[in-house]
Structure formats: C-alpha cells, structure tokens
Amino acid sequence: MHSPAATRNRVPPRRRRIPQTATLACLAALMALPAAALVPPSPGAPVAAKAFQAPGLDVETGTLAVDRLDPEDGRRARGDLAHLGAAAGRARLDTRGGRWSSLWLHRPLMPGAGAANRLAWTDLGLDRRPDDATLADLAWEGFWGFVTGHADVLRIEPRQLRRSVGVHAGGDLIQIHARREVDGIPVRGAGLTATVNHGNLVLLGADRWGDVTLDTHPTLDSEAAFAAALAFLDPHRPRDLRTEPRLEILPRATAQDDRYRHHLVWIFPLRFDGAVERFEVAVDAHSGEILAMEDTNHYHRNVHGGAYPISNDGQSPDGVEIPGVPMPFADVTHSGGTATTDAGGNVEGITGAMTTALEGPYWRVDDGCGAVSETSTAGDLDLGISGGTDCTTPPGASAGNTHAARTAFYELNRIAASGRAQLPANPWLQGQVRVRLNDSVTCNAFWTGTNLLFYRSQSTCANLGELAGVLDHEWGHGMDDNGTNGSVSSPGEGIADVYAALRINSSCPGRGALPNVCSGFGDPCIAAFGCTAARDIDWERHESQQPHNVAWANANCGSSRHCRGHLTSESIWDLYKRDLPARYGMDNNTALEVATRLTYLGADNVASWFTTANGEEGGCAASSGYQQFLAADDDNGDLTDGTPHMQAIFDAFDRHGIACPTPAVQDSGCAGAPTVAPAVTIQPGDRGAQLSWNAVAGATRYKVFRTDGVFQCDFGKEIVAATPSTTFADTGLQDGRDYYYVVAGFGPSDACMGPTSPCATVVPGVASEIFADAFEGGDLLAWSSVVVD
C-alpha cells in the first residue's frame, strides 16, 4: 500500500519580477552565492540588520517520560501504549503536540533476523531477499500499514505523509523519514522518523506534529504578500527572487504555549546586491505579518598535480604542497572522445593529446581565477605545483589551475568516495556537484544547497579552498542535507565538523584558516595546540578542559548553531577517541571505523541532534543523534535489550547532556563475533596491490579499508572490499604512491566488527620494475607466486 497523493492541487504562484539594473555578468556571479558555511558572514550586508525571527519559530520537539505526565494524561498514554505494544518506560511524549516523540519497539515489519521476527520472504511471494529498491518499497509499505493501523493512538493522519527511505548495510538497516504535508503544503520540520533494523521497526517518533486547524487557502496572494515584504525591507530592495514563492506551514510555540500553533506563510527566497547571504522572508498568508527574515546559508570559513594534504600553513609534513597527487575521477578529452580517470588518476587507451578541465562524474571545478584547461600532447598530464596562493598557478598553466582547484578536486573526490562506500544507495553521492573556488567576496565558505563555494585569502583568513578540513566540512553539509531526512539537521555545524574530523583525524578541521587560535564561544582554545580554525571539537583543548553540555550551551550559545554544534561534534569525537578505546580496548583504527560507520548511518536520519528543554536528557527524541546512533548500532532488531556499543555511545553523548536513559543502557549482542585481528600480507603490482590474510574465528566476511596521505593509516578510509574470501586484489592505484590498508573480520551483522589488522603499506609499481627488484634480491619465486595467484 502506498500513501495517496496530495488532496488538493495548487497552481504555482506567478513569479514576481523585480526591476534590475545589474549587468548580466553580475547576475552570473551572484547565481553562485551560498547556502551552508563555516561561520556567519562578517560584517554582513547592510540588509542583514533586518534579520530576525519571531519568538517560538525555533521550537524543539518535546520529550517527556510517561511517569512525568499528569495523572489523567498518563492514564490515557498508558492505554495508547498498550495498543501499540510498547511499555510506558519505552516511550516519550511531545506534550505540545500530543504525539509520541519516541517509541522504542521491536515489531516485525518485513523478513529479517530481528528478535521474534518469523516473517519469511515466501510469505511475500519471493524466494530470496530482493534488491534495495524493492526493500525500500516493502519497508515503506510495512511502515505505512503500521501507522495506518494505529493512526488513532498515534494521532497521525497517514495521508499527510510523504515518503523518503534509505536502505543501508544490505537491507539490515532501513531508515524512513516521512515529511508532513497538509493539503499538499509542507509543514516545516514536521514528520515521522522511523528505523527498521533486521526487519523490525525499532524506533518511531513524530517531530513538531500538532493539530493544524488553520485555513490552508491564503487570504493574501503572493503579490500582496510580497508587497508586505518589500515594505518591511525598505530601504533595501532585493535584486530578485532566487526561486518561486511557495506556501509553507510553520509550527510555532513559545515557553508560555501549551500547544503548537501554526502559520500559513508565503516564503520569498531573496538575493541582494553585495550580499553573500541568501535571505528568506516569511509572510503570514492571512494577516501579512512578517514572521522571519533569515539568512539560510550554513557557514564555515575555508589530475596528477600538487595538492595540500591538510593545510597551506607551511607546517611539514601536512601543511606543504605535495607534488604528483592523483586527480581521481577526472574527465579527459582526446581524439577519440572522453574518458574518466580511476581512483589513482589513471586512464586507459589514449594516445596523443588529452585535456582536462578538472570535471568528472562527481565534481566540477569552477575557479574564480579563470578556467581550468590543461593539456598533455604525450605521456602523463601533470598539473604541476607553484608557490603563492589564490590565483598563483604553475608557470604556463591555465588561469584556473590553482592550489585550491587541485586540492579541492583531490580531497572532495576522496571524502565522497568514503561516503559512497558507507551509503552506496545515496543518490546525491552518485551525481555531480559544482565547487566554486577563489571567489572574491568575503572570508568564508558555503554549502549553497546545491553547490560548494570557497573564497580566496584576505587579511583575516587563508584561502579556504586550500584547506582539506574546510573542504570536508562543507561537503559534510551537503551530506547532511541529502540524507534520508532530506534537510540540514539542527544544529548542522556539529556534524559537518565531524565528517571533516573523521576524514583528517584531527579535532581541528581547518587548521590555518585564521590568524589566531579559535575563540571557543567564551571557552578559548588552548594556544599551545595551535588550532587556527573556527573550532576545536576536543573539549580538553579548551581552557576550561571541561565537556560542553546543555547547560553550557543554554548559557553561552543563544541560537548560534555554530556554538550549539559543539555538543554534537564533541560527543562523536569522544566516542571515537575516548569511549570506544576506554570501554572496549579498541586501537585507533578500529575505533575510527566503528565511529565512522555509526556517524554515516546514524546521522543519515537525524532531524534535531538534541533538545535543550529536558536538562541532561536531550537525546530522547526518535530523530535525535543518540537514538539514531543506537539504531545504527543495533544487531538484532530490538533496541530495548541493548546494542553492541551502547555503553560507549551513551557515555559519549551523556557527557554532553544529549543522551537518554531510555532504552536502558547495556552492551549486548554480537555473540561469537571476531575478537582477534587478521594478519595481512601485501604485494605490489602495476597500478594495484594483492592482499591476503589469515581467517579469524567468528568472521563470516571481511572488509578492506584503504587510505593514502602523509598520516598513513591514521586518516579517514574508504571501504574498498567486503568479501568472504581471505584475499583481495586492489586496482586503480597510482604507481609510486604510498597506500595504506587495514582489514577487519565481521560477525553476523555489520555492527559486529572485530579488531582491525595492523597497518599494511604498499607502493604500486610497473611489473617490469618489480620483476627486476625481485630478481636482484633472489626472491623471484615468491613474487611470481603472488602474480600468478
């Protein structure tokens, strides 16, 4: 069964054309302006003084335990829970909306290995587990059926749900986010979040879901509402509308409100000359009241050829340009057409001249210094290295062959490949994204909602497109914006920092961005650690050396998502660096891979990482970071009996006040999973490597993780194989470059990962060179056996 279409069709409002005097060239430049970045723009355009938000529009979903309800509400809630098959201690209620914000269940929805799940594929007329697309359909049908069958006690109107489903780990983990629409109009931030683990519905909750009683037919048409917006903005006049006006319903609640109120609003996305901000004005469609004027950007400051490993600050070995870095997945044109390089920058079957513009299936470089066009008439295409920054290029190079262009193309392709390995069904990771570099407006970097944008250096900051951590942070916004949840999470800056930190193995993603160490929102970074970035996400590197928690955020952050994001980023950094090693004795590589898996899967369906209304229980909503990490960690389709790493996850999030005592905290599951690491041997080949390892007890399959760069294995990795075999031939590598590998055994679930092997290193080379080395060393027989195998 599928949800019905919207109940009412609406004619799109006519676009308002605003008189313009700007040239077409200026229009083309402003079309590239941003929508997600490192820090708020400073000093900001004059129109920024108009920015505001009516009280209560940033309302959080409530999470109140049943035993804290008044007696009558508690009695009714327990009756509803009995119908749902949930215990009172395994639920939280959003009292503003009267809906369940969290339900911890273990209800079979589709065949799987979950607790008490006896469903079989033959019950559905199938002889085996289907492909991911069919799994998504089945999960939605099961979810839709459950919600429809319990609509009265859930107090949810199923016809208002719009589908979004993510399938992960071969179908063992399925995440659902059903956005709410009333009469075809989206309700901002409202919907249902659900997780299906091993076939069982284990987590369900509603976000900002209250009774909508307003008239969904606007009293004011878009023209009249826009006139009200112009009067509010006077004397500032917008340049044009970025997109058509649209209707939305905004939930609202202040501290004095018992229930959500709602406003039908016209949303006008506006551009202003000279402004990097992308403003949005919300006008009440009945009264004409201006409810908000906000900047919707999310801020962050920040083929072979030279690229910076981490920073451009001159600190060796990671702050200086490295020559000969491969440009992966780059299109090259030649006499026979177009070809694309592999992960090592290799391309086959081309003779004569070949040209690249640093564009490929995943990334397209657009450099403000000029176009990239580099050609080799024969042999390798080397984009070269150079001194300087910004628009400085190697001698004789095209104007767009800058440090930033080369560094960004390499780094963004690397982190995106890691993302595809964790979330292979995510469509955004399969498409092309444009990255604009060396723009010349202000000291910042952005995710615009469709593209990435980075500015060149100024007196107050470095060229942010030359810093791997800043590139990764902005990519993290795009990853966040394109998950199952389908929007940037709140507060989104924290998870963007985490994606960058896990990639470069540093709590200071963006070193060298600023002239001084980070201010820390009132808790400055310790100068000795030298974090010259916007933030350091390790609390021990701040002067207080205390974890930042909900109380600290309430006292210091206001509505700043950059400040509040510390609670998210510090929790996950703690999980990686403190709690997984301390609780289970994990080495750095094992902890990194466990934390990376949980981050990619857990963050994929987060709406709000935490709430601040319930003191130190900020992670009880189903859509919170803590609950989604537990759901990603679960191995048996029942969160209430614990998960393999639950204690460490709880410790990390609870230290910052964003965990939840429900479900009860206990490590469980993964019985018989591997407890020892494989021993890996590795041999080089032409543009490849041959790995082999011993079988380990409890392993049903093995995953091979690979990385490259100056920090060897202490760097974010890509899963390049998942195999039941104890051998793997890796290909698509760059001859002469160092590559690093670890291998881990897995038990019955992806949550059941054993220790990783010690780091294994290889330098691929052409077969004739290896043959000569082996012959001279008297080791020809051993080498030949590897090649033949």
Side-chain angles (χ1 to χ4, degrees):
M1 181 187 301
H2 295 279
S3 57
T7 58
R8 180 174 296 135
N9 295 323
R10 294 184 175 275
V11 178
R14 182 161 49 93
R15 182 168 182 172
R16 171 71 178 235
R17 300 282 182 184
I18 302 172
Q20 301 179 39
T21 56
T23 64
L24 290 176
C26 193
L27 172 61
L30 281 178
M31 287 295 286
L33 287 178
L38 172 63
V39 297
S42 179
V47 70
K50 293 279 188 178
F52 88 105
Q53 184 186 77
L57 288 181
D58 59 350
V59 62
E60 297 175 333
T61 299
T63 57
L64 196 63
V66 174
D67 59 10
R68 294 176 59 188
L69 299 173
D70 65 48
E72 180 60 26
D73 288 343
R75 182 194 60 76
R76 187 185 311 108
R78 287 179 173 86
D80 289 346
L81 289 171
H83 286 287
L84 293 166
R90 298 175 179 177
R92 291 290 190 278
L93 189 73
D94 179 2
T95 55
R96 282 199 178 106
R99 271 76 175 177
W100 296 106
S101 61
S102 297
L103 291 168
W104 293 274
L105 308 163
H106 49 90
R107 184 184 184 91
L109 285 190
M110 56 194 298
N117 190 325
R118 296 179 177 83
L119 301 176
W121 295 115
T122 53
D123 298 334
L124 304 177
L126 301 170
D127 57 0
R128 63 176 64 89
R129 176 186 282 189
D131 58 27
D132 284 357
T134 304
L135 284 172
D137 291 339
L138 292 172
W140 178 257
E141 289 171 5
F143 165 77
W144 175 260
F146 178 81
V147 173
T148 301
H150 299 86
D152 53 343
V153 293
L154 291 171
R155 287 179 281 283
I156 297 295
E157 173 49 70
R159 291 176 300 175
Q160 295 178 356
L161 300 176
R162 298 296 173 263
R163 163 182 165 160
S164 177
V165 181
V167 178
H168 312 296
D172 286 345
L173 181 69
I174 301 177
Q175 295 172 326
I176 298 171
H177 181 76
R179 187 184 73 249
R180 185 185 189 189
E181 291 183 1
V182 176
D183 291 346
I185 303 171
V187 184
R188 183 171 290 193
L192 282 186
T193 297
T195 301
V196 180
N197 190 295
H198 291 84
N200 287 0
L201 178 63
V202 297
L203 192 60
L204 176 68
D207 289 305
R208 298 184 181 183
W209 196 300
D211 296 332
V212 175
T213 59
L214 56 75
D215 184 357
T216 57
H217 296 84
T219 303
L220 303 178
D221 64 16
S222 60
E223 297 285 340
F226 189 67
L230 290 179
F232 167 79
L233 293 167
D234 188 68
H236 308 290
R237 187 168 183 83
R239 184 162 188 267
D240 62 9
L241 288 166
R242 292 186 284 113
T243 60
E244 298 286 349
R246 65 185 185 273
L247 286 171
E248 287 192 18
I249 297 172
L250 302 187
R252 184 179 183 184
T254 65
Q256 292 74 36
D257 290 328
D258 292 329
R259 296 284 174 175
Y260 292 114
R261 293 181 288 145
H262 295 86
H263 295 265
L264 180 69
V265 299
W266 284 106
I267 299 293
F268 298 100
L270 302 173
R271 277 189 295 226
F272 293 82
D273 285 331
V276 300
E277 299 94 335
R278 290 196 168 202
F279 289 107
E280 178 183 275
V281 176
V283 182
D284 191 295
H286 291 304
S287 69
E289 178 187 0
I290 309 298
L291 293 174
M293 196 294 214
E294 296 184 282
D295 178 9
T296 60
N297 289 337
H298 294 269
Y299 289 96
H300 182 209
R301 292 186 175 189
N302 210 337
V303 298
H304 61 228
Y308 290 112
I310 299 295
S311 178
N312 61 1
D313 61 5
Q315 296 184 32
S316 182
D318 58 329
V320 294
E321 187 173 33
I322 304 296
V325 174
M327 296 293 120
F329 312 119
D331 289 344
V332 295
T333 57
H334 57 101
S335 60
T338 302
T340 303
T341 64
D342 60 20
N346 307 302
V347 64
E348 298 280 355
I350 296 177
T351 58
M354 64 177 182
T355 301
T356 186
L358 288 186
E359 178 177 356
Y362 307 116
W363 294 99
R364 176 167 68 88
V365 163
D366 172 14
D367 199 293
C369 298
V372 181
S373 181
E374 295 298 324
T375 299
S376 171
T377 57
D380 290 345
L381 174 51
D382 186 356
L383 276 69
I385 62 173
S386 65
T389 186
D390 296 341
C391 292
T392 303
T393 63
S398 58
N401 181 11
T402 64
H403 292 286
R406 300 187 299 271
T407 300
F409 195 80
Y410 168 78
E411 181 62 23
L412 292 172
N413 268 298
R414 280 288 184 259
I415 193 170
S418 297
R420 285 192 296 276
Q422 296 286 346
L423 301 171
N426 183 291
W428 180 72
L429 290 169
Q430 305 300 326
Q432 187 193 72
V433 180
R434 183 173 70 94
V435 53
R436 170 76 171 177
L437 301 155
N438 281 305
D439 218 314
S440 57
V441 185
T442 188
C443 183
N444 224 317
F446 304 86
W447 160 249
T448 72
T450 54
N451 307 309
L452 302 182
L453 189 151
F454 301 85
Y455 295 123
R456 64 187 71 173
S457 65
Q458 295 187 7
S459 60
T460 54
C461 68
N463 185 310
L464 300 178
E466 297 176 6
L467 308 181
V470 179
L471 292 161
D472 295 339
H473 173 103
E474 297 308 329
W475 176 89
H477 280 306
M479 184 73 259
D480 187 21
D481 201 12
N482 288 277
T484 300
N485 182 268
S487 62
V488 173
S489 59
S490 176
E493 296 301 327
I495 187 59
D497 279 346
V498 170
Y499 284 122
L502 293 177
R503 163 64 185 159
I504 67 174
N505 190 29
S506 171
S507 64
C508 174
R511 191 193 78 217
L514 306 175
N516 302 305
V517 296
C518 39
S519 64
F521 300 97
D523 187 9
C525 299
I526 296 174
F529 292 113
C531 182
T532 49
R535 289 172 293 281
D536 194 312
I537 65 173
D538 187 342
W539 49 267
E540 281 196 321
R541 293 176 177 244
H542 289 256
E543 289 185 357
S544 73
Q545 296 195 304
Q546 296 296 314
H548 300 109
N549 56 22
V550 169
W552 174 85
N554 288 340
N556 293 276
C557 293
S559 62
S560 169
R561 56 188 174 226
H562 300 83
C563 180
R564 287 160 53 85
H566 268 284
L567 276 61
T568 302
S569 57
E570 289 182 11
S571 295
I572 303 174
W573 185 257
D574 278 359
L575 178 65
Y576 164 34
K577 287 295 188 179
R578 293 185 172 90
D579 296 293
L580 289 172
R583 179 66 60 176
Y584 314 112
M586 291 184 184
D587 64 278
N588 188 71
N589 281 309
T590 305
L592 174 59
E593 298 315 323
V594 171
T596 298
R597 175 184 178 272
L598 291 175
T599 296
Y600 275 91
L601 294 179
D604 191 63
N605 205 22
V606 171
S608 295
W609 282 90
F610 53 86
T611 62
T612 58
N614 289 347
E616 297 298 303
E617 294 187 11
C620 291
S623 62
S624 70
Y626 176 68
Q627 298 296 336
Q628 289 295 314
F629 268 53
L630 293 184
D633 191 50
D634 186 43
D635 72 321
N636 73 339
D638 185 359
L639 294 184
T640 63
D641 67 357
T643 75
H645 308 100
M646 191 174 195
Q647 187 66 62
I649 297 169
F650 177 82
D651 291 347
F653 281 75
D654 186 59
R655 187 175 296 116
H656 303 278
I658 59 173
C660 183
T662 308
V665 180
Q666 55 180 324
D667 288 340
S668 71
C670 291
T675 58
V676 298
V680 176
T681 59
I682 188 167
Q683 293 287 344
D686 179 20
R687 293 170 292 173
Q690 179 73 40
L691 290 82
S692 60
W693 56 89
N694 61 298
V696 298
T700 61
R701 65 202 181 286
Y702 302 87
K703 290 188 180 182
V704 181
F705 303 85
R706 182 191 72 207
T707 191
D708 57 353
V710 296
F711 291 143
Q712 302 185 24
C713 278
D714 291 334
F715 216 79
K717 303 174 188 68
E718 175 187 353
I719 302 169
V720 294
T723 175
S725 174
T726 55
T727 62
F728 171 65
D730 200 10
T731 59
L733 308 181
Q734 183 189 48
D735 285 342
R737 183 171 179 80
D738 292 343
Y739 291 89
Y740 308 95
Y741 296 83
V742 296
V743 177
F746 284 75
S749 164
D750 275 0
C752 303
M753 174 180 166
T756 59
S757 65
C759 186
T761 307
V762 69
V763 182
V766 296
S768 59
E769 293 175 353
I770 299 172
F771 183 91
D773 291 343
F775 184 87
E776 292 172 4
D779 198 25
L780 178 60
L781 181 60
W783 177 84
S784 298
S785 67
V786 172
V787 173
V788 171
D789 184 56

